[in-house]
Amino acid sequence: VNGARKGWKILAFAALTLAVGRRLIAAEPVEPPVSQEMFTVNNLWMLVATFMVFIMHLGFATLESGLTRAKNTVNILFKNTAIVALGLLTYALLGFKLMYPAGVDPGGVFHFAGLGLDIPHPADAISYAGGHYTYWTDFIFQAMFAATAATIVSGAVAERVKLSSFLIFSAVYVAFIYPLVGMWHWGQGWLSTLGSGPFHDFAGSTIVHSVGGWAALAAIMLLGARRGKYANSTVRPIPGHSMPLAAIGMFLLWFGWYGFNGGSVLSADPGAVSLVFVTTSLGAAAGVVGAMVVSWIIQDKPDLSMVLNGALAGLVSITAGADVATPMGSIIIGLVGGVLVVLAVLLIDTRLRLDDPVGATSVHLCCGVWGTLAAGLFGAEKVLGIADTNTGLFYGGGAGQLTSQLVGVLAVGATCLAGAFLILGTIKASMGLRVSPEEELRGLDIGEHGMEAYGGFQIFVTQ
Amino acid sequence: VNGARKGWKILAFAALTLAVGRRLIAAEPVEPPVSQEMFTVNNLWMLVATFMVFIMHLGFATLESGLTRAKNTVNILFKNTAIVALGLLTYALLGFKLMYPAGVDPGGVFHFAGLGLDIPHPADAISYAGGHYTYWTDFIFQAMFAATAATIVSGAVAERVKLSSFLIFSAVYVAFIYPLVGMWHWGQGWLSTLGSGPFHDFAGSTIVHSVGGWAALAAIMLLGARRGKYANSTVRPIPGHSMPLAAIGMFLLWFGWYGFNGGSVLSADPGAVSLVFVTTSLGAAAGVVGAMVVSWIIQDKPDLSMVLNGALAGLVSITAGADVATPMGSIIIGLVGGVLVVLAVLLIDTRLRLDDPVGATSVHLCCGVWGTLAAGLFGAEKVLGIADTNTGLFYGGGAGQLTSQLVGVLAVGATCLAGAFLILGTIKASMGLRVSPEEELRGLDIGEHGMEAYGGFQIFVTQ
Amino acid sequence: VNGARKGWKILAFAALTLAVGRRLIAAEPVEPPVSQEMFTVNNLWMLVATFMVFIMHLGFATLESGLTRAKNTVNILFKNTAIVALGLLTYALLGFKLMYPAGVDPGGVFHFAGLGLDIPHPADAISYAGGHYTYWTDFIFQAMFAATAATIVSGAVAERVKLSSFLIFSAVYVAFIYPLVGMWHWGQGWLSTLGSGPFHDFAGSTIVHSVGGWAALAAIMLLGARRGKYANSTVRPIPGHSMPLAAIGMFLLWFGWYGFNGGSVLSADPGAVSLVFVTTSLGAAAGVVGAMVVSWIIQDKPDLSMVLNGALAGLVSITAGADVATPMGSIIIGLVGGVLVVLAVLLIDTRLRLDDPVGATSVHLCCGVWGTLAAGLFGAEKVLGIADTNTGLFYGGGAGQLTSQLVGVLAVGATCLAGAFLILGTIKASMGLRVSPEEELRGLDIGEHGMEAYGGFQIFVTQ
């Protein structure tokens, strides 16, 4: 596979960066101690945010199964369940240490006992991150994040990917690629010390969503479209089997996003967290309106699946700058995201003829890139260290750091795309990526799992 | 339309009240400062309550789509998604300032930049409301509340209302009517300074639920029943298409109610919030039992949809007095609510022949009124400033303030009914309220959105 | 019924224990006072944990209805709704006082006014439990726990149990048996003062899950299998009607478990709660992997329902020792739980020919026992009072207290099994436990409730 060769080169460079990075990074500066009460409330918020991010996995599971056909539902639910489990375990085993090499325990990347969570003394744990939350809290919050990156891919490859191949890909991708680029930014890596100003990606438009989105793009290129999707010059829409499931998915994702973005403040700081709640909410709402208006104009009737993706587009878009956007800024960022996602779905599905059953690349990749760039359009100083005025779209009036944002987007994109092509290409060449045509026709539920999603339902419908 | 004319008169009076009220209201008294830790935990609880209220929108979406037919499911999901978005944006643009005119920024109702959320300096934000939570927290919590009022209407008008007409109505109603009556009570308006004692509506049995319920009543009167519901002297039941969706809706609403009622304490005060959790839980539980017993007696078998509505009836009923009821009091209030809702559904559906597919008027209007009156039956002093004894149904032994409760119920009712008739009547006269008979027969999913809720399902059921 | 007689004897002994216990137990030692801020954040966390446990009831409702047939769906949803309501009310009336006899108000077990929640002065409430949370918080958190024990039974008896009989059983079981054994451990009863060391069951592998599991075992023995399940020597699988519902159920249960286990810390202590989050997450994840691998090997294809039960198995298994397990320990405990549940389902369903439609006995009983024993394998001192090293599977290096764990498992098991046989046997002998064969064939939805779960669905599928 051609992509695999290019992937090796870039990945080798990236690994070198990681190795050097680990040596250069000093222990993070100790912040002034906080009271036991403040430590407790900060830690509590991070744990609440953790279970909010967890429920996003149910959101992905229901969104993806709702937007695909009934005969592949068991497979999607299975994948999303397995991914959470594999993601958490893999991150415990490897990811956490790769991503935060300067953590409490410098025992080595592959130090195993306690799965990378062993610490000299429990009391030390609570001095992690300036006393704001415990080492365990940090791990479990980050682990939930990590698992989402792989889940994003799941929807794009739905209805045709081989289960075992997908699980292997996800585990490897979450174990190596996600922590690598994550370290560049959140692990105090080179992106956080760029000469053009630090790369700003508050909660992961690039570091999480585009990481999933780039892999989704690579996967649908290597996999090919579902049977019957593209016949000669026509594009056949394949409707999802349950819009209630899809809507449940969107709402749960929005719900969980309060933890995803709100928790990324890394404390319960009232001003910062509440601003993030406002910008996240308004960004999502504007995404709905943007997608509604555009789909109403283009398709003549307002499309529900476009509007659901519009909400997600708004959320992905605001994620990079949720800590610095004004309410007005968040509305504009979300609105553009909602418009973009409709156009991207049409472009990818119809023009590029890349078959992405749930629009994962449009939502997570296109809007992830847009949101990251948007956060750099006006300067993005931390909200509490800003000037007295808040005119415009962002708090603070720093000069644009669009260059840094571009560097981050491109570096992460190239690495993820290369890494995904590398891993997927290797799998494709060895064990294969795709189920047989017969299995695809019959449905992956029978083929991969030997069961149906609605097996006991006939008893009713045959009445 | 006749209702529209009456509406103009009452609304003009109401607008005058608002204008005068804004001048009279002084800045709210500054409470003694709290520690940074207490501020942080109070603010955190309000944000948690915010995302709990958010998930109620998924509750409404699933409850309403479950209780109606499969051919109108996309339309219901679409409405509920759009309402959240429009509600949040409208409230940011207009509602927040209309409802809390004495807020931090006196820049004027239609002051636009920053969408009414601009503040002189972020540090000032955190001194809002005595330092208990930030200005942003206040906005987003209130905005989530506002959106629920419109969502209540959605279920009553299901399966026949025109999408565009409904969206316009909702946006206008949330922008003007809800903030208006909300200001009367929560914006330190005239209801909070009644001579007969302040009107007591803790979390909105009247101010939120009846506001939605009155509009629902006006809407089903103007819309008329669904085709085939009433033929000559018979009433044809139209069963919902998915009781699991309906049950998911009820549970999510109950879940979210802990934020709706618990957040209305406006701080994390341990005694007050935990009492609200107890009364809310017992009220809901008693509502289930009340509806179960009555439906078992009347209908000979216990009806699931009645029991689901019984839980909601208990919740709506306890909402006005959740801060003052004793555990025993909350059980009796909820029990009566559960009984009432079954009788109300039968009365409205069969006797009055008003077609409310999900029972929204029975739940939110009837129980909203009942709960508000109940809170005035025995006196309703704040729980922490009361006498040593807690005999009876309420903490504290103040004389009844039933008069104030009646005044509040009637004033809000008249205004909302008039406002709803006015807006809906104007829409009906101009663009129409209802879809064509052909579209209704075919289903609004195809008619309004060009798609089916279970489009990919045949692949399974035809096997 | 034979079981009933044995039950009386053991129950009489247990009642005696309770009566004596109430006299012996002194008021709990007053802990040093905490600041108002710490009290507020502790109380807040317990309330958040409460609503998380509440949503587990929706998890049970959807899991159980998804894993059974469409014709019995209304019945399952009804049962789960009614159980929450009856559980909360029964616990308010009786259970709370039975379980915590040494509480603030010594007014007597059957003291009614205020439903056992009356207190001399509200200000006293906040000094309960050393000031960590209010009396009301304690009640509502414990009440939510109590209701889960009965809900566990619901799935095992699905598709054939008479509604009225089940509701009576649940109310009595939650009112008497659950508080009785609960008191033994959490009410400072004899299990907490065993000579071999205190019984360790952190959040209820035994006290909650096996309590439900033993009752489920008794119930399926007395009820018999569903019609057509066992014909001669064959075992006919009866597939569930909606795997999306089942998956929603599993995810919501996992989600709620963060409150179930996390809240069992009984404060927001950062180290303790975050450790519980880590062990709970890794235990669940390992349970998924364990069940996946075993079902893949045994059944040749990975079974979704096995994997869903694997997650729950991991969660039940880690519940007893979630406060003392290391990350590595929690993975091994969960992994074994996931393996066990697959074997248990096959054993109970195929060998023992006991028909448990959702695998409740395998998940809650088998893994409840396993988890409780596992917590005693290596010593289980509280995490914050431990030695400097954390080698191995548990923090702390105390000698094994497996004896105490065995005593607890057996005492609780004998009491619950006897109590369940007693109550169910009495019901069976008087009003009957099971619906008629005709009703079972037609479905309990029509038979018990006169309605269908998907009544409005035909309108779509007949198109």
Side-chain angles (χ1 to χ4, degrees):
Chain A
V1 177
N2 197 32
R5 286 190 212 102
K6 290 181 192 164
W8 278 118
K9 290 180 192 167
I10 299 181
L11 211 67
F13 168 74
L16 190 67
T17 309
L18 176 66
V20 175
R22 289 198 63 237
R23 293 181 175 274
L24 295 180
I25 295 162
E28 72 183 273
V30 177
E31 299 174 28
V34 296
S35 67
Q36 186 69 16
E37 282 82 357
M38 193 61 98
F39 167 41
T40 304
V41 65
N42 282 335
N43 186 73
L44 178 57
W45 168 235
M46 295 306 293
L47 290 176
V48 169
T50 297
F51 67 62
M52 296 296 283
V53 176
F54 169 76
I55 207 64
M56 294 175 76
H57 290 281
L58 176 56
F60 279 112
T62 49
L63 181 78
E64 293 170 14
S65 55
L67 292 178
T68 51
R69 287 167 293 182
K71 66 180 178 181
N72 298 313
T73 301
V74 165
N75 182 249
I76 289 174
L77 298 171
F78 190 97
K79 279 192 300 181
N80 280 282
T81 303
I83 285 300
V84 188
L86 293 177
L88 290 173
L89 294 173
T90 306
Y91 200 76
L93 185 59
L94 291 172
F96 190 48
K97 286 212 174 173
L98 279 171
M99 191 156 162
Y100 296 95
V104 164
D105 175 22
V109 172
F110 293 98
H111 186 62
F112 184 84
L115 284 164
L117 291 170
D118 54 302
I119 43 174
H121 190 290
D124 291 351
I126 62 174
S127 69
Y128 182 81
H132 281 134
Y133 47 90
T134 71
Y135 188 67
W136 288 313
T137 299
D138 191 45
F139 160 72
I140 196 65
F141 180 70
Q142 298 295 343
M144 288 294 177
F145 252 68
T148 58
T151 298
I152 289 167
V153 185
S154 164
V157 299
E159 308 205 281
R160 59 208 191 279
V161 78
K162 221 166 143 176
L163 176 66
S164 51
S165 304
F166 176 74
L167 293 181
I168 290 170
F169 164 73
S170 298
V172 175
Y173 197 72
V174 170
F176 295 101
I177 308 297
Y178 171 76
L180 176 66
V181 301
M183 188 273 283
W184 288 351
H185 179 36
W186 293 331
Q188 303 164 50
W190 65 275
L191 280 178
S192 58
T193 55
L194 280 180
S196 51
F199 176 64
H200 189 89
D201 183 13
F202 171 61
S205 289
T206 285
I207 298 295
V208 179
H209 291 281
S210 86
V211 165
W214 290 112
L217 180 63
I220 61 177
M221 290 173 71
L222 286 175
L223 260 179
R226 290 169 291 174
R227 284 173 57 85
K229 172 75 184 173
Y230 301 110
N232 304 322
S233 63
T234 65
V235 177
R236 185 172 74 96
I238 301 178
H241 87 285
S242 173
M243 294 311 292
L245 276 180
I248 288 172
M250 182 284 284
F251 273 102
L252 288 179
L253 284 165
W254 185 337
F255 179 67
W257 228 288
Y258 289 113
F260 193 92
N261 281 4
S264 292
V265 170
L266 300 181
S267 82
D269 181 88
V273 181
S274 60
L275 174 62
V276 167
F277 266 59
V278 170
T279 54
T280 300
S281 304
L282 295 179
V288 168
V289 171
M292 181 166 68
V293 170
V294 173
S295 91
W296 212 324
I297 293 171
I298 293 184
Q299 303 176 303
D300 201 42
K301 291 183 174 178
D303 186 297
L304 177 59
S305 56
M306 288 297 187
V307 165
L308 298 180
N309 272 335
L312 301 178
L315 288 161
V316 171
S317 300
I318 196 60
T319 291
D323 59 335
V324 290
T326 60
M328 179 58 100
S330 62
I331 289 174
I332 291 174
I333 290 173
L335 199 70
V336 172
V339 171
L340 265 183
V341 81
V342 176
L343 301 178
V345 164
L346 296 176
L347 174 75
I348 292 171
D349 192 65
T350 311
R351 297 294 163 102
L352 301 181
R353 297 171 79 92
L354 290 170
D355 184 18
D356 179 352
V358 306
T361 44
S362 303
V363 169
H364 299 280
L365 178 51
C366 297
C367 294
V369 169
W370 153 243
T372 307
L373 296 180
L377 286 179
F378 293 87
E381 288 77 358
K382 282 276 171 196
V383 65
L384 291 181
I386 63 174
D388 265 28
T389 55
N390 64 327
T391 53
L393 306 185
F394 293 92
Y395 291 102
Q401 51 175 326
L402 197 52
T403 314
S404 300
Q405 302 300 94
L406 262 173
V407 169
V409 165
L410 292 175
V412 169
T415 307
C416 289
L417 207 50
F421 268 119
L422 170 67
I423 305 168
L424 289 166
T426 307
I427 293 173
K428 186 173 181 179
S430 53
M431 61 192 290
L433 268 181
R434 186 163 178 147
V435 301
S436 71
E438 296 72 35
E439 181 176 334
E440 188 179 346
L441 191 64
R442 182 70 186 87
L444 276 68
D445 290 3
I446 297 295
E448 300 283 285
H449 306 279
M451 65 188 296
E452 290 179 328
Y454 301 93
F457 207 81
Q458 287 94 337
I459 289 161
F460 161 71
V461 295
T462 55
Q463 280 170 10
Chain B
V1 177
N2 198 32
R5 288 192 210 102
K6 291 180 191 165
W8 277 118
K9 292 181 192 168
I10 299 181
L11 210 66
F13 168 75
L16 191 67
T17 308
L18 176 66
V20 175
R22 290 196 64 238
R23 292 182 176 274
L24 294 181
I25 296 162
E28 71 181 273
V30 176
E31 300 174 27
V34 296
S35 69
Q36 186 68 16
E37 283 82 356
M38 193 59 97
F39 167 42
T40 304
V41 65
N42 282 334
N43 186 74
L44 178 57
W45 168 234
M46 295 306 293
L47 290 176
V48 170
T50 297
F51 68 60
M52 296 295 284
V53 176
F54 169 77
I55 206 64
M56 293 175 76
H57 289 282
L58 177 56
F60 280 112
T62 48
L63 180 78
E64 293 170 13
S65 56
L67 292 177
T68 51
R69 286 166 293 182
K71 66 180 176 180
N72 298 313
T73 300
V74 165
N75 181 248
I76 289 174
L77 298 171
F78 190 97
K79 279 192 300 181
N80 280 281
T81 303
I83 284 300
V84 188
L86 294 177
L88 290 173
L89 294 173
T90 306
Y91 200 75
L93 185 58
L94 292 173
F96 191 47
K97 286 212 172 171
L98 280 170
M99 192 157 161
Y100 297 94
V104 163
D105 175 22
V109 173
F110 293 96
H111 186 61
F112 184 82
L115 285 165
L117 291 170
D118 53 302
I119 42 172
H121 190 289
D124 291 350
I126 62 173
S127 69
Y128 183 82
H132 281 134
Y133 47 89
T134 72
Y135 188 67
W136 289 312
T137 299
D138 191 45
F139 161 72
I140 196 66
F141 180 69
Q142 298 294 344
M144 289 293 178
F145 253 68
T148 58
T151 298
I152 289 167
V153 185
S154 164
V157 300
E159 308 204 279
R160 59 207 191 280
V161 79
K162 223 167 140 174
L163 176 66
S164 50
S165 304
F166 176 74
L167 294 181
I168 291 170
F169 164 73
S170 299
V172 175
Y173 197 73
V174 170
F176 295 101
I177 307 296
Y178 171 76
L180 177 66
V181 301
M183 188 274 283
W184 288 352
H185 178 37
W186 293 331
Q188 303 164 50
W190 64 275
L191 280 177
S192 59
T193 57
L194 280 180
S196 51
F199 176 64
H200 188 90
D201 183 13
F202 170 61
S205 288
T206 286
I207 298 295
V208 179
H209 291 281
S210 86
V211 165
W214 291 112
L217 180 63
I220 60 176
M221 288 173 73
L222 286 175
L223 260 179
R226 289 169 291 175
R227 285 172 57 86
K229 173 75 185 175
Y230 301 110
N232 304 321
S233 61
T234 65
V235 177
R236 185 171 74 95
I238 301 177
H241 86 285
S242 173
M243 294 312 292
L245 277 181
I248 288 172
M250 183 284 286
F251 273 101
L252 288 180
L253 283 165
W254 184 337
F255 179 66
W257 229 287
Y258 289 112
F260 193 92
N261 281 3
S264 292
V265 169
L266 301 182
S267 82
D269 181 89
V273 180
S274 61
L275 173 62
V276 167
F277 266 59
V278 170
T279 54
T280 300
S281 303
L282 294 179
V288 167
V289 171
M292 180 167 70
V293 170
V294 173
S295 91
W296 211 325
I297 292 171
I298 293 183
Q299 302 176 305
D300 201 44
K301 290 183 175 178
D303 186 297
L304 177 59
S305 56
M306 287 299 186
V307 165
L308 299 180
N309 272 335
L312 302 178
L315 288 162
V316 171
S317 301
I318 197 60
T319 291
D323 58 335
V324 291
T326 60
M328 179 58 99
S330 63
I331 289 175
I332 290 175
I333 290 173
L335 198 70
V336 172
V339 171
L340 265 182
V341 80
V342 177
L343 301 177
V345 164
L346 296 176
L347 174 76
I348 292 171
D349 192 65
T350 312
R351 298 295 163 101
L352 301 182
R353 295 172 80 91
L354 290 170
D355 185 19
D356 179 351
V358 306
T361 44
S362 303
V363 169
H364 299 280
L365 178 51
C366 298
C367 294
V369 169
W370 154 244
T372 307
L373 297 180
L377 286 178
F378 294 88
E381 288 79 356
K382 282 275 170 196
V383 66
L384 290 182
I386 64 174
D388 265 27
T389 55
N390 64 328
T391 53
L393 306 185
F394 293 92
Y395 290 103
Q401 52 174 327
L402 197 53
T403 314
S404 301
Q405 301 300 92
L406 263 173
V407 168
V409 165
L410 293 176
V412 170
T415 308
C416 289
L417 206 51
F421 268 118
L422 168 68
I423 305 168
L424 289 167
T426 307
I427 293 173
K428 187 175 182 179
S430 53
M431 61 192 291
L433 268 179
R434 187 163 178 146
V435 300
S436 72
E438 296 71 36
E439 181 176 334
E440 188 179 344
L441 190 65
R442 182 70 185 88
L444 276 66
D445 290 2
I446 296 294
E448 301 282 289
H449 305 279
M451 65 188 296
E452 291 178 327
Y454 301 94
F457 208 80
Q458 285 94 335
I459 289 162
F460 162 70
V461 295
T462 55
Q463 281 170 8
Chain C
V1 176
N2 197 32
R5 288 190 210 104
K6 290 181 191 164
W8 278 117
K9 292 180 191 167
I10 298 181
L11 210 64
F13 167 74
L16 191 66
T17 309
L18 176 65
V20 174
R22 290 197 63 238
R23 292 181 177 274
L24 295 181
I25 295 163
E28 71 182 273
V30 177
E31 298 175 28
V34 295
S35 69
Q36 186 68 16
E37 282 82 356
M38 194 59 99
F39 167 40
T40 304
V41 65
N42 281 334
N43 186 74
L44 178 58
W45 168 235
M46 295 305 293
L47 290 175
V48 169
T50 297
F51 69 60
M52 296 295 283
V53 176
F54 169 77
I55 206 63
M56 294 176 74
H57 289 283
L58 177 56
F60 280 112
T62 47
L63 181 78
E64 294 171 13
S65 55
L67 291 178
T68 51
R69 287 167 292 182
K71 64 181 178 180
N72 299 313
T73 300
V74 165
N75 182 248
I76 289 173
L77 299 171
F78 190 96
K79 279 192 300 182
N80 280 282
T81 304
I83 285 301
V84 188
L86 292 176
L88 290 173
L89 294 173
T90 305
Y91 200 77
L93 185 59
L94 292 173
F96 190 46
K97 287 213 172 171
L98 280 170
M99 191 156 161
Y100 296 95
V104 164
D105 175 23
V109 172
F110 293 97
H111 186 62
F112 183 82
L115 284 165
L117 289 172
D118 53 301
I119 42 172
H121 190 291
D124 291 352
I126 61 173
S127 69
Y128 184 82
H132 282 132
Y133 47 91
T134 72
Y135 188 66
W136 289 313
T137 298
D138 190 46
F139 160 72
I140 195 65
F141 180 70
Q142 297 294 343
M144 288 295 177
F145 253 68
T148 58
T151 298
I152 289 167
V153 185
S154 164
V157 299
E159 308 204 281
R160 58 209 192 279
V161 78
K162 223 166 141 175
L163 176 66
S164 51
S165 303
F166 176 75
L167 294 181
I168 291 170
F169 164 73
S170 299
V172 174
Y173 197 73
V174 170
F176 295 101
I177 307 298
Y178 170 75
L180 177 67
V181 301
M183 189 273 284
W184 289 351
H185 178 37
W186 293 332
Q188 303 165 49
W190 65 275
L191 281 177
S192 59
T193 56
L194 281 179
S196 51
F199 176 64
H200 188 90
D201 183 13
F202 171 60
S205 287
T206 285
I207 298 294
V208 179
H209 291 280
S210 86
V211 166
W214 290 112
L217 181 62
I220 60 177
M221 289 174 70
L222 287 175
L223 260 179
R226 289 169 291 173
R227 285 172 57 84
K229 173 74 184 174
Y230 301 109
N232 305 321
S233 62
T234 65
V235 177
R236 185 172 73 95
I238 301 178
H241 87 284
S242 173
M243 294 312 291
L245 276 180
I248 288 173
M250 183 284 284
F251 273 101
L252 287 180
L253 284 165
W254 184 338
F255 179 66
W257 228 289
Y258 288 112
F260 192 93
N261 281 4
S264 292
V265 170
L266 300 181
S267 81
D269 181 89
V273 181
S274 61
L275 174 62
V276 167
F277 266 60
V278 170
T279 54
T280 300
S281 304
L282 294 180
V288 167
V289 172
M292 181 166 70
V293 170
V294 173
S295 91
W296 211 325
I297 292 171
I298 293 183
Q299 303 176 304
D300 201 43
K301 290 184 175 178
D303 185 298
L304 177 59
S305 56
M306 287 298 185
V307 166
L308 298 180
N309 272 336
L312 302 179
L315 289 162
V316 171
S317 300
I318 196 61
T319 291
D323 57 335
V324 291
T326 60
M328 179 57 100
S330 63
I331 288 174
I332 291 174
I333 290 173
L335 199 70
V336 173
V339 171
L340 264 184
V341 80
V342 176
L343 302 177
V345 164
L346 296 176
L347 174 75
I348 292 172
D349 193 64
T350 311
R351 298 294 163 103
L352 302 181
R353 297 171 79 92
L354 290 170
D355 184 18
D356 180 352
V358 306
T361 45
S362 303
V363 169
H364 299 280
L365 178 51
C366 298
C367 293
V369 169
W370 154 245
T372 307
L373 296 180
L377 285 179
F378 294 87
E381 288 79 356
K382 283 276 170 196
V383 65
L384 291 182
I386 64 173
D388 265 29
T389 54
N390 63 330
T391 52
L393 306 185
F394 293 93
Y395 290 102
Q401 51 175 326
L402 197 52
T403 315
S404 300
Q405 302 301 91
L406 262 173
V407 169
V409 164
L410 293 175
V412 169
T415 307
C416 289
L417 207 51
F421 268 118
L422 169 68
I423 305 169
L424 289 166
T426 308
I427 293 174
K428 186 175 182 178
S430 53
M431 61 193 291
L433 267 180
R434 187 164 178 146
V435 301
S436 71
E438 296 74 33
E439 181 176 332
E440 188 179 345
L441 190 65
R442 181 70 185 87
L444 277 67
D445 290 3
I446 297 294
E448 301 282 288
H449 305 279
M451 65 189 297
E452 290 178 328
Y454 302 94
F457 207 80
Q458 285 93 338
I459 289 162
F460 161 71
V461 295
T462 56
Q463 281 170 9

